[in-house]
Amino acid sequence: MVLASLPLTYDECRARFRWWCAKAGLEVEPHPIDARGPEGQQLTIDVTQVGATSPERALIVMSGVHGVEGYIGSAMQCELIDRLVPQALPDGFAVLLLHAVNPWGMAWWRRQNESNVDLNRNWNRDHVTPPPNPGYDELHPFLCPDSPELPTPESFLDRSRVLLEERGMPWMQAAVSGGQYTHADGLYFGGDRTEQSTRIVASVVAERLGAVGQSLCVDLHTGHGAPGTYTILLDAPPGSEPHNWLSERFDADRIEATVGNPHATTAHKVGQIGHGLADVLPESVHRSITLELGTVSDTRMILSGRSENWVHHHGDRTAPAGVDALWANRRCYTPDDPAWADHALAHGRVVLDAAVRSAAGHEPLLASDT
Ligand SMILES: [Zn+2]
């Protein structure tokens, strides 16, 4: 099955997800969050499970942790449901799908959630004091200026060029996207408490998969990496056991081990959900990867996110300049381009099918195999 078009709104994504679940005979468990959508509509994290009810091995697939990145992830989950043949999955194996982990961000076209929190920097925040990020503190006035007008790109680029020359790219990556816990109106803010969505994910996974001995989490994202390609991010050192395990099962050329890697294209982050799930799966050998689908350049991504953040905090979302900034930002995460969507869905099929086989421990039947 190939989706005819990419759903454009949270509501459409959720409707499609529920429709594909119903078609496959799967129950959907909706978990409402308190915040509402732009039309006042209820927002939910929808959960379904394919295969065993008390599994020993499990694959967890999440979409929409970063709201506005979630439309393609939602489509990938629908396609996966359609490809899985539940009766052919091995005994004791299940696929748990969490749809729209940040439904508010998906509905409002924001990467952050209703509290301006980056949910992928927020795991167990109630009990964790994350490390400071002095680099971000230095950049914040340029990244998120409290200016009366939409800030110009130059007011950030001029400063960042100097800093890049002085400190180098790893410093810049860690400063910008490593996560920060000091500026609640800033970018990549990890929050000052555990957010509702994070708590829902933790309780759902603990309740449904508490007994698993082996688990793999695939978290679906967009916006990082070369446009039109995909990258599998692994928060482990190159050559480590997790890296070797992954390299034997996925396209090794697409895997980037981000810890202790001088060639890494992204910072190591604290508070990621996929990793954090190990806390609620105490009996499990738990592994976690992030699938990133490249869209536009990092510079364009940062500048668009900066403009959108300014509109959210200081501007008017409904004024023409505000709408332009929101749409430009949305297109950075989900390009308005059917060819991009086709490639992204094809990449998603490759990675998720490999994930099913890897997590199951052997080759289950997929609809595409029959
Ligand atoms: Zn993301």
Side-chain angles (χ1 to χ4, degrees):
M1 185 272 297
V2 176
L3 296 176
S5 62
L6 202 56
L8 287 173
T9 65
Y10 161 75
D11 294 315
E12 189 182 353
C13 285
R14 184 173 65 174
R16 286 197 193 199
F17 181 77
R18 290 179 176 184
W19 187 85
W20 282 105
C21 288
K23 183 170 177 279
L26 301 171
E27 277 187 27
V28 176
E29 184 180 274
H31 291 264
I33 64 166
D34 297 334
R36 295 273 166 167
E39 281 86 43
Q41 73 269 42
Q42 189 181 61
L43 304 170
T44 57
I45 300 171
D46 284 3
V47 178
T48 198
Q49 188 166 330
V50 188
T53 44
S54 293
E56 293 148 20
R57 306 173 70 109
L59 171 66
I60 303 160
V61 182
M62 299 192 292
S63 69
V65 166
H66 286 147
V68 70
E69 302 176 17
Y71 314 106
I72 193 83
S74 168
M76 285 177 190
Q77 288 178 316
C78 291
E79 286 202 345
L80 180 61
I81 288 168
D82 191 48
R83 289 200 305 285
L84 287 171
V85 181
Q87 62 272 27
L89 294 178
D91 287 346
F93 173 66
V95 180
L96 178 66
L97 295 116
L98 295 110
H99 181 264
V101 170
N102 173 9
W104 187 92
M106 257 174 102
W108 288 87
W109 297 6
R110 295 214 83 204
R111 189 175 174 282
Q112 300 90 323
N113 81 340
E114 58 274 21
S115 312
N116 196 51
V117 168
D118 180 334
L119 290 180
N120 222 21
R121 312 287 187 277
N122 181 249
W123 181 262
N124 203 20
R125 182 68 181 91
D126 284 342
H127 303 289
V128 170
T129 304
N133 186 344
Y136 182 87
D137 294 339
E138 199 172 332
L139 278 174
H140 180 76
F142 305 95
L143 265 178
C144 303
D146 184 11
S147 53
E149 300 291 332
L150 197 62
T152 64
E154 289 71 29
S155 59
F156 172 70
L157 290 175
D158 292 348
R159 183 65 191 152
S160 67
R161 272 190 207 104
V162 172
L163 286 168
L164 201 54
E165 233 165 73
E166 284 176 0
R167 321 276 176 87
M169 186 52 87
W171 180 91
M172 183 63 87
Q173 286 166 349
V176 173
S177 63
Q180 56 90 12
Y181 298 85
T182 47
H183 295 82
D185 62 341
L187 298 171
Y188 305 97
F189 175 57
D192 53 16
R193 63 193 165 91
T194 306
E195 290 293 310
Q196 187 178 23
S197 288
T198 313
R199 283 187 272 114
I200 289 171
V201 172
S203 66
V204 164
V205 172
E207 190 179 309
R208 287 173 173 261
L209 305 181
V212 295
Q214 297 200 46
S215 48
L216 171 65
C217 180
V218 181
D219 192 7
L220 305 171
H221 289 250
T222 68
H224 178 75
T229 66
Y230 75 89
T231 310
I232 296 171
L233 297 176
L234 171 71
D235 268 21
S240 60
E241 189 277 338
H243 188 207
N244 293 337
W245 184 92
L246 205 61
S247 301
E248 288 165 8
R249 291 163 176 82
F250 295 79
D251 184 345
D253 292 339
R254 300 288 185 181
I255 299 167
E256 182 174 316
T258 62
V259 176
N261 179 359
H263 307 295
T265 60
T266 187
H268 169 63
K269 298 119 188 162
V270 295
Q272 296 188 82
I273 295 178
H275 272 266
L277 288 174
D279 296 345
V280 297
L281 301 171
E283 308 299 322
S284 183
V285 176
H286 180 68
R287 304 176 188 276
S288 173
I289 58 175
T290 302
L291 173 60
E292 280 282 2
L293 296 141
T295 54
V296 299
S297 72
D298 289 350
T299 303
R300 192 173 146 199
M301 188 66 69
I302 290 171
L303 290 173
S304 74
R306 175 179 182 253
S307 296
E308 187 272 347
N309 198 53
W310 184 91
V311 170
H312 180 76
H313 290 288
H314 308 293
D316 179 353
R317 293 177 63 90
T318 60
V323 172
D324 284 352
L326 299 186
W327 180 240
N329 187 56
R330 188 199 144 105
R331 289 178 64 198
C332 284
Y333 288 103
T334 308
D336 189 17
D337 175 1
W340 178 84
D342 284 349
H343 283 124
L345 288 171
H347 294 149
R349 285 191 285 274
V350 168
V351 172
L352 288 178
D353 287 357
V356 170
R357 294 187 180 98
S358 305
H362 60 275
E363 303 264 331
L365 269 183
L366 295 166
S368 56
D369 299 332
T370 56

